[in-house]
Structure formats: C-alpha cells, structure tokens
Amino acid sequence: MNFDELEAIYHRPFFDLLQQARQVHEAYWPEKDEMQLCTLLSIKTGGCSEDCGYCAQSARYSTGVKAERLMERAEVLAAARRARENGSTRFCMGAAWRGVRAGTEKFNQVLGMVRDVSQLGMEVCVTLGQLSDTEALQLREAGVTAYNHNIDTSPEFYPEIVTTHTFQDRLNTIRAVQDSGMALCCGGIVGLGETVEDRLRMLAVLTSLDPAPESVPINCLMAMPGTPLEDQAPVDIFDLVRLIATTRLALPRARVRLSAGRTRLSPEGQAMCFFAGANSVFYGDKLLTAANPAARADLALLQALDLRPHALPVAPAFTEEKGLVFTPENIPLETAEIR
Ligand code: SAM
Ligand code: DTB
Ligand code: SF4
C-alpha cells in the first residue's frame, strides 16, 4: 500500500476504521481471541555505541543504565524455560549492540544460547543490531525463527533520531534477514516527535517489504530519563488505535505487537488496541531496561476481555541430559494422530 492509500484508510471515521480492521482481523486470524505472550530478555544491557535518541542503553546519555556483560548461556536458558512455563510462546533476546560479526566470541556465544532456547519449542527471536548474510544464515541455522530489526520511524524523520547509522543501514540488515529465510519482525516507535504522516510513511515502507514482515511491533516511546527524548508527551490513544487499525488492514497476516509503553495505557486503551488488531504483547514485569505491566495485571486484563493466551502446538519436555522428550501428553499432534 502506498502512502496515499494508507492516509485515506487512517483518516476514515474512527468507528468505520475500527470495524473494518476487526473484520479483516477475524478473516485472517481464525483464532481471533488469542493473544500471543512474548517474553523479552536483555542478554547484553547498556553501553551501546549508537546514539538512538530514545534509548536508555546508549553509552552517550546518562540514563542510569549500567553497561553489563553478555549473560551466561545457562542463565538465558533458565529464563527461557521460565517464560515458557509462564505461558509465553515467543522468547526474544535483545542485545545493546550496533551489530554483530561472524567469528567473534560474542556472536558464537549468542549462537550457543539460540541453540539451547530453540529446543524449548517456542518461537525464538533475537535483536542484535546490524548483520549481513553470513551472520543471518548462522542465526537461522542455530534455530532463530525471527529477527527483530525495527525501522522505527519514517526515512525522512530517522536522521532526527539517530545519526550513528542510517535508515539504509536498517534496510540492508532487513534484506540480509529476509534472504536468510528467517522471519522478519519489524516495526517502530510512536511518540518520538514525528507527525502522523511520518507514521504512515513508516507503514508504507513496512508494506513495501517483500515478503511482508511476519510481525510488526508498535512501541510507544518510553521517555527514558537522561535521553534527548525524556520530555516527550505520551501519544494520544486514539492516534495509536488508528495506527494499529491501519497496520492491521495494510498487513493482515502480520502479528501486530502492542509493545513498549503499555504502562502508560489504560486497560480500556489497550482493549481498543486489541480490538483494532493488536494480537501480541510483551509479557513479564520488565522489557529490556524499562517497566512493563505486571504479569498478574495482564492476565487479569486478558480474562476481563475473554482473550486467551496463544498456546504452543507442541510442548515438549526438555531435560538437560536428554534434550527434547515427548511424552503422551505433549507428543506432536501429527504423530499422535498417526498412532
Ligand atoms: N540494538 C538493537 C537495535 O537497535 O536494533 C536491538 C535492541 S533495540 C533496544 C530494539 C528496539 O527497541 C528499538 O529499535 C526500538 O524500537 C525499541 N526501543 C528502544 N528503546 C525504546 C524506548 N525508550 N521506547 C520505546 N521503544 C524503544
Ligand atoms: C521491540 O520493538 N520492542 C522491544 C523489542 N522489540 C526488542 C524492546 C522495547 C524496549 C523498551 C525500552 C527498554 O526496555 O529499555
Ligand atoms: Fe543501541 Fe539499539 Fe539502543 Fe540504538 S536502540 S542505542 S542500537 S541498543
């Protein structure tokens, strides 16, 4: 969809837009009342060389986030197991890096983590910054199912927010991800000071990607103290709902993730976002460095709205010694039917 088409959709009367988005949502998502829970883990926090104006992990700003070392492989696996036990079907590991290079120790360590986590049967996502074809293929072979790399805003507004890399750099990484066969998770942030037109230009870029992204996170800026954007006002809820509805219509097959910033949204505001087509949230008390609604509050919200957490088709048991173990309870469906 081009910019003009997106603009026409976005500015439809609010309830018409919502109704249309819901219809498309129901047509493309038979499990219309399912919400995917995704758990985030920051495997390498802080100390990043880049100057992304929204980010608490940039070494250029005094945000109180300390640079930490890459987490241990065993700790990561333990966190992934807990995420699965708590109902997440996607686990996303994030690192505060400009990018990664094949053959380096840190990249090999990440490949090890991915190999472990991919045994648990969840979708495995990583977000490590820029990469090229070699790294993308190695990640895919290790078991990554999706790579998160956001374009964050429009190409025109991007240089106002980041100067240490370009929008084209982002697109180059996206190309490498898609060529490797990994699914692409790609979205952006609202509330950076951009216009509605910038948001729609960002959506136009997302819809032009081939194949379309499998997953589209819509983050509301979490105005982190110490960053250049610390004083940004929260996004208007109706603008957010319109954007989510427009995303659902433009990318009907994509999982739309209501991502960072839910702590500033009311339950009613979130409910409208879900009605408009958002069908995933980050689950757990923490995002990477910032707060997320408490897990208990999220479960209560899902229950109040008669939504159920998306479930794993297969829940293989995993033991350190034996790896994946299928029992009569968790045996894969196809195998069970053959019996
Ligand atoms: N370093 C990698 C990169 O930049 O691609 C991966 C981690 S980075 C933290 C992942 C994404 O988190 C960013 O692209 C941005 O969309 C989102 N993000 C970071 N800080 C945020 C904030 N304060 N508010 C909302 N979203 C944020
Ligand atoms: C995405 O789009 N949002 C997540 C995930 N991808 C990696 C990250 C949100 C980060 C929020 C700010 C923080 O925790 O520091
Ligand atoms: Fe670094 Fe990513 Fe934060 Fe930018 S968004 S400063 S690249 S961690």
Side-chain angles (χ1 to χ4, degrees), residues 22 25-26 29-35 279 307-308:
R22 181 67 189 172
H25 184 82
E26 290 186 0
W29 292 85
E31 304 299 334
K32 61 187 173 57
D33 298 321
E34 246 181 30
M35 181 69 54
N279 55 355
L307 299 174
R308 14 168 240 290

Side-chain angles (χ1 to χ4, degrees), residues 48 52 54-57 94-99 127-130 147-152 165 170 187-189 219-224 227 260-261 288 290:
C48 183
C52 311
Y54 49 79
C55 187
Q57 304 199 70
W97 286 327
R98 174 185 165 90
T127 180
L128 313 170
Q130 295 176 35
Y147 194 83
N148 168 244
H149 200 66
N150 294 337
I151 54 172
D152 282 325
H165 55 259
R170 302 298 284 181
I189 311 182
N219 296 277
C220 295
L221 175 74
M222 306 205 65
M224 304 301 277
T227 63
L288 294 173

Side-chain angles (χ1 to χ4, degrees), residues 5-275:
E5 291 166 318
L6 291 166
E7 200 175 33
I9 292 175
Y10 182 92
H11 289 294
R12 294 200 65 191
F14 187 75
F15 288 126
D16 292 356
L17 173 60
L18 276 191
Q19 202 171 20
Q20 204 188 355
R22 181 67 189 172
Q23 258 171 18
V24 165
H25 184 82
E26 290 186 0
Y28 281 82
W29 292 85
E31 304 299 334
K32 61 187 173 57
D33 298 321
E34 246 181 30
M35 181 69 54
Q36 187 182 40
L37 305 179
C38 171
T39 295
L40 273 175
L41 178 69
S42 181
I43 58 170
K44 160 70 182 82
T45 304
C48 183
S49 63
E50 303 306 282
D51 70 351
C52 311
Y54 49 79
C55 187
Q57 304 199 70
S58 166
R60 294 162 194 255
Y61 315 128
S62 302
T63 64
V65 172
K66 285 198 306 278
E68 289 172 19
R69 294 159 54 98
L70 182 61
M71 278 177 73
E72 293 296 327
R73 191 166 163 170
E75 280 180 84
V76 174
L77 179 59
R81 280 216 189 96
R82 280 196 300 277
R84 194 182 73 169
E85 279 158 20
N86 291 333
S88 284
T89 58
R90 186 161 169 125
F91 189 69
C92 177
M93 294 168 269
W97 286 327
R98 174 185 165 90
V100 284
R101 207 162 300 143
T104 58
E105 198 189 326
K106 70 177 188 185
F107 187 63
N108 288 336
Q109 283 175 297
V110 173
L111 292 175
M113 294 171 191
V114 168
R115 282 187 202 105
D116 287 351
V117 173
S118 66
Q119 300 298 303
L120 300 181
M122 291 181 286
E123 295 168 17
V124 182
C125 178
V126 291
T127 180
L128 313 170
Q130 295 176 35
L131 43 71
S132 58
D133 293 344
T134 318
E135 294 82 20
L137 280 170
Q138 290 185 7
L139 285 169
R140 194 199 122 138
E141 277 161 16
V144 168
T145 56
Y147 194 83
N148 168 244
H149 200 66
N150 294 337
I151 54 172
D152 282 325
T153 189
S154 69
E156 293 78 7
F157 192 63
Y158 198 76
E160 307 283 320
I161 300 298
V162 184
T163 69
T164 47
H165 55 259
T166 64
F167 195 84
Q168 186 59 48
D169 290 329
R170 302 298 284 181
L171 294 178
N172 295 345
T173 293
I174 286 168
R175 187 71 271 142
V177 167
Q178 297 204 303
D179 287 348
S180 78
M182 282 188 288
L184 174 71
C185 171
C186 184
I189 311 182
V190 288
L192 302 168
E194 76 288 346
T195 61
V196 167
E197 288 71 34
D198 283 310
R199 294 175 194 163
L200 297 174
R201 278 193 280 269
M202 170 178 92
L203 256 191
V205 174
L206 294 177
T207 62
S208 75
L209 296 173
D210 186 18
E214 166 249 1
S215 143
V216 177
I218 304 286
N219 296 277
C220 295
L221 175 74
M222 306 205 65
M224 304 301 277
T227 63
L229 297 176
E230 64 182 350
D231 293 326
Q232 279 295 319
V235 178
D236 177 83
I237 183 65
F238 300 124
D239 287 352
L240 177 65
V241 173
R242 275 184 193 276
L243 187 70
I244 288 175
T246 309
T247 307
R248 172 51 66 226
L249 290 168
L251 294 160
R253 292 192 168 80
R255 216 178 248 289
V256 177
R257 301 181 191 276
L258 182 60
S259 302
R262 287 194 300 119
T263 44
R264 285 214 280 207
L265 300 182
S266 68
E268 297 86 344
Q270 293 184 61
M272 267 193 295
C273 294
F274 300 153
F275 188 81

